[in-house]
Amino acid sequence: MKSFSELKEYQNEISEKKKNNQKIDDKPEIIIGMGTCGIAAGAKKIRNAVVDVVKEKNLDVKITETGCIGMCEKEPLMDIKMPGMERVTYGEIEESDVKRIINKHVFEKKIVKEFAIARILE
Amino acid sequence: MKEYTAIKELPYYEELDFYKKQKRIVLQNCGLIDPEKIDDYIEKKGYQAAAKAITQMKSKEIIEEVKKSGLRGRGGGGFPTGLKWQFAKDAEGEKKYIVCNADEGDPGAFMDRSLLEGDPHKLLEGMMIAAYAIDADEGYIYVRAEYPLAIRRLKKAISQAEELGLLGENIFGTEFNFKIHIKEGAGAFVCGEETALMASIEGKRGTPTSRPPYPAQSGLWGKPTNINNVETYANIPFIIDNGAEEFNKFGTENSSGTKVFALTGKIKNTGLVEVPMGLSLRDIIYDIGGGITDDKGFKAVQTGGPSGGCIPAEQLDLKIDYDSLKEIGAMMGSGGMVVMDEDTCMVDVARFFLTFTQSESCGKCTPCRLGTKRMLEILERITEGEGKKGDIEKLEQLGKVIKEASLCGLGQTAPNPVLTTIKYFRDEYEAHINDKKCPAGQCDALKGSYVIDEDHCIGCGQCKTVCPADAITGKKQKAHTIDPEACISCGACAEVCPVNAISN
């Protein structure tokens, strides 16, 4: 970074790239809370379960990680962001719940009430 | 109940009770961005404050802005951050250092860890601005080795920032150079004290030294050094980006901004919260925290970890800031908040915290080394039913002396949990000593023998099976009895009794 404007340009590039990506290949994103609290509550197992479901269904999704959002009580947390839809947080899930949540949310765009906590204003 | 719903039926985060009263400045990105991607941080206006500070502001202006913001040290001491920077800036010397204290060690505290794991670039940006403001070109983050994930993410963040030229030489095309190292601490609690921390970075034994000289004059390797806590640095980008005035909109007159608390113990919504200063304990524990587990009664909350105090129910409406907490004998500390319910024995809590500080005392000064040992012996005696008349007064006297005469913050605050529990729960101490009773029923040695209510006993025999002392006799279908001589008061029988006929 050689100047303030270079940072600004870089910032714009990132948002542009994101926008373009969204236009070209609108991929659903599955985000797993992988802070120490999440991992202690089983986030790694959830992540593996997500990977399995994605493989099995041959889904084209991004799997990413994030830190702790504060609700340690509700860990492990998994968010799903569908193109054109707000990001939704699911909590207190177990490996066995992952498949049903992805099936309903990604394929039918339906929210599984039992585990849904909130949506994120973006 | 419908199993599935449409997205518009879901509440937004801001509408949840847990988040309604929160204001997230420091934790703004935590849980939302990918902490291992610098682009995620930059997209959220990351490093913009650093760019503004370094290319458009003089160091004097930055320090003025931080002073105006009223930001105080979030590690617990509450010293004005701008003033601290001023001292380091004014100190003479070619070489200066920036140090970040990430040696989070209070039982039940995980504020720094979450921030380091969730948004490491925010800390780096805060440190960059501080370095530029005091003319430092090198920084250290002292983080405990027990935080491997935090360390991994910090290392990744540093190398990403170096790749983009945000750390290194001629940052933003200016003369400003800055590099950051990580020093992994071995986990001694005393190394959270600034002079001990710097000794530890230098490879020496982590023990405190007397001040003055303060780190601003003679810190790391004898050079002028500015040392702040993780959360303090993480507030800086917001202040520079939005201005002190915007920051001042949150909080109270003498404690501006927000504070991150780790809610733990007997509370429904355990977790990490960031609230404006001046919110009441009731707001935090009941509205945000959802109240006490199993709807039991609230007894006390311990703020500030082993250095803090136990705050009783009468103080639930206390507006929390640095000064209000100090007034009642507790302290802000780094932000641990351990909630206790009616089943908690306050003498036992005091003993627990003192056991911690006693074993973590580095042993350099006598009041802390021996004083905490003597206090602990008395507390252990009391919880074992051997308390004597005059013990409470002796604890108070010892506590006062240790606070006044100890070399560093560890000793100066170690008696707080004991002194505040005596202040607010003196009757519990008296019950232990005079009546040999533990009102909360927690101290094993003071539990009376258990008795079976013969009118309610159904003679199922489950208690007889679990009793480890073979103290229970009785025929099937007939009321059983406990031999008080043989009973060891373990309570196993009361736990299994299906009709709750056993009590002590």
Side-chain angles (χ1 to χ4, degrees), chain B residues 25 93 264 313 318 388 410 434 451 456 481:
Chain B
I25 291 177
T264 54
L318 184 81
K388 291 188 285 211
L410 195 159
N434 302 335
V451 266
H456 285 95
T481 49

Side-chain angles (χ1 to χ4, degrees), chain B residues 453-475:
Chain B
D453 179 350
E454 290 181 18
D455 294 337
H456 285 95
C457 177
I458 52 169
C460 67
Q462 286 190 50
C463 53
K464 200 161 116 183
T465 324
V466 296
C467 178
D470 290 329
I472 303 177
T473 47
K475 288 201 176 104

Side-chain angles (χ1 to χ4, degrees), chain B residues 90-105:
Chain B
D90 291 345
E92 302 225 353
E94 280 289 298
K95 178 83 185 175
K96 291 181 185 176
Y97 289 102
I98 285 288
V99 175
C100 172
N101 185 347
D103 190 51
E104 185 170 58

Side-chain angles (χ1 to χ4, degrees), chain B residues 11-329:
Chain B
Y12 283 110
Y13 263 81
E14 291 74 12
E15 292 166 342
L16 298 176
D17 286 335
F18 188 68
Y19 287 99
K20 251 184 219 165
K21 291 192 171 175
Q22 291 199 43
K23 170 68 202 169
R24 291 164 88 88
I25 291 177
V26 169
L27 301 177
Q28 168 209 5
N29 294 330
C30 281
L32 296 174
I33 65 166
D34 187 336
E36 301 200 9
K37 291 192 184 124
I38 192 169
D39 285 5
D40 269 27
Y41 182 66
I42 292 177
E43 201 203 348
K44 301 263 182 195
K45 291 189 175 179
Y47 289 108
Q48 193 171 295
K52 180 180 171 188
I54 294 163
T55 62
Q56 297 174 357
M57 294 170 84
K58 293 202 176 70
S59 72
K60 203 179 150 194
E61 289 171 311
I62 297 172
I63 293 174
E64 275 313 308
E65 201 64 30
V66 176
K67 274 188 193 167
K68 259 202 313 202
S69 76
L71 177 66
R72 295 168 70 174
R74 296 293 193 248
F79 191 80
T81 307
L83 203 58
K84 207 174 197 179
W85 289 16
Q86 181 77 60
F87 292 150
K89 165 78 181 167
D90 291 345
E92 302 225 353
E94 280 289 298
K95 178 83 185 175
K96 291 181 185 176
Y97 289 102
I98 285 288
V99 175
C100 172
N101 185 347
D103 190 51
E104 185 170 58
D106 292 357
F110 48 90
M111 298 75 57
D112 295 350
R113 190 195 71 209
S114 294
L115 190 62
L116 296 173
E117 289 176 358
D119 196 8
H121 287 285
K122 202 180 256 326
L123 169 65
L124 303 187
E125 187 177 2
M127 288 177 74
M128 268 169 87
I129 298 168
Y132 175 77
I134 71 153
D135 304 325
D137 64 353
E138 211 173 341
Y140 280 88
I141 302 170
Y142 189 90
V143 53
R144 38 184 52 226
E146 290 107 314
Y147 284 180
L149 185 62
I151 292 170
R152 205 189 78 207
R153 291 197 174 146
L154 268 176
K155 282 186 177 160
K156 201 160 185 178
I158 292 172
S159 75
Q160 287 171 341
E162 282 169 350
E163 251 168 61
L164 285 182
L166 291 161
L167 288 173
E169 294 191 348
N170 302 112
I171 298 167
F172 296 118
T174 66
E175 302 275 281
F176 175 59
N177 307 326
F178 188 51
K179 55 182 169 189
I180 295 179
H181 312 278
I182 292 172
K183 169 74 187 173
E184 292 176 36
F189 184 63
V190 73
C191 286
E193 197 280 336
E194 56 186 24
T195 58
L197 185 151
M198 288 186 294
S200 175
I201 293 179
E202 291 174 15
K204 295 178 191 149
R205 185 182 176 136
T207 51
T209 46
S210 58
R211 297 172 301 180
Y214 286 91
Q217 275 82 45
S218 172
L220 196 54
W221 286 295
K223 308 289 183 215
T225 302
N226 179 70
I227 173 164
N228 288 127
N229 159 271
V230 176
E231 193 185 331
T232 313
Y233 284 124
N235 271 293
I236 299 294
F238 180 92
I239 293 169
I240 297 301
D241 225 1
N242 301 282
E245 245 173 70
E246 193 59 31
F247 186 78
N248 270 321
K249 285 185 183 162
F250 310 105
T252 61
E253 198 185 339
N254 292 317
S255 305
S256 52
T258 59
K259 180 76 194 83
V260 181
F261 290 105
L263 291 181
T264 54
K266 301 287 172 65
I267 189 160
K268 277 183 192 157
N269 306 331
T270 53
L272 202 68
V273 302
E274 181 175 356
V275 296
M277 298 266 194
L279 220 58
S280 73
L281 279 168
R282 192 184 297 281
D283 287 328
I284 298 177
I285 293 166
Y286 284 92
D287 292 350
I288 297 175
I292 311 301
T293 326
D294 299 330
D295 291 317
K296 288 202 170 162
F298 168 88
K299 188 162 196 178
V301 57
Q302 167 88 9
T303 63
S307 328
C310 281
I311 305 172
E314 302 96 88
Q315 304 278 4
L316 264 176
D317 290 306
L318 184 81
K319 307 265 180 252
I320 300 193
D321 65 20
Y322 289 100
D323 309 306
S324 66
L325 284 174
K326 214 165 194 174
E327 246 166 59
I328 60 161

Side-chain angles (χ1 to χ4, degrees), chain B residues 317-360:
Chain B
D317 290 306
L318 184 81
K319 307 265 180 252
I320 300 193
D321 65 20
Y322 289 100
D323 309 306
S324 66
L325 284 174
K326 214 165 194 174
E327 246 166 59
I328 60 161
M331 70 186 269
M332 181 73 83
S334 54
M337 224 178 233
V338 185
V339 178
M340 300 164 209
D341 68 9
E342 55 194 325
D343 293 339
T344 315
C345 167
M346 300 316 285
V347 185
D348 192 50
V349 165
R351 187 194 56 79
F352 167 78
F353 279 112
L354 205 68
T355 307
F356 179 84
T357 34
Q358 206 285 315
S359 67
E360 292 290 345

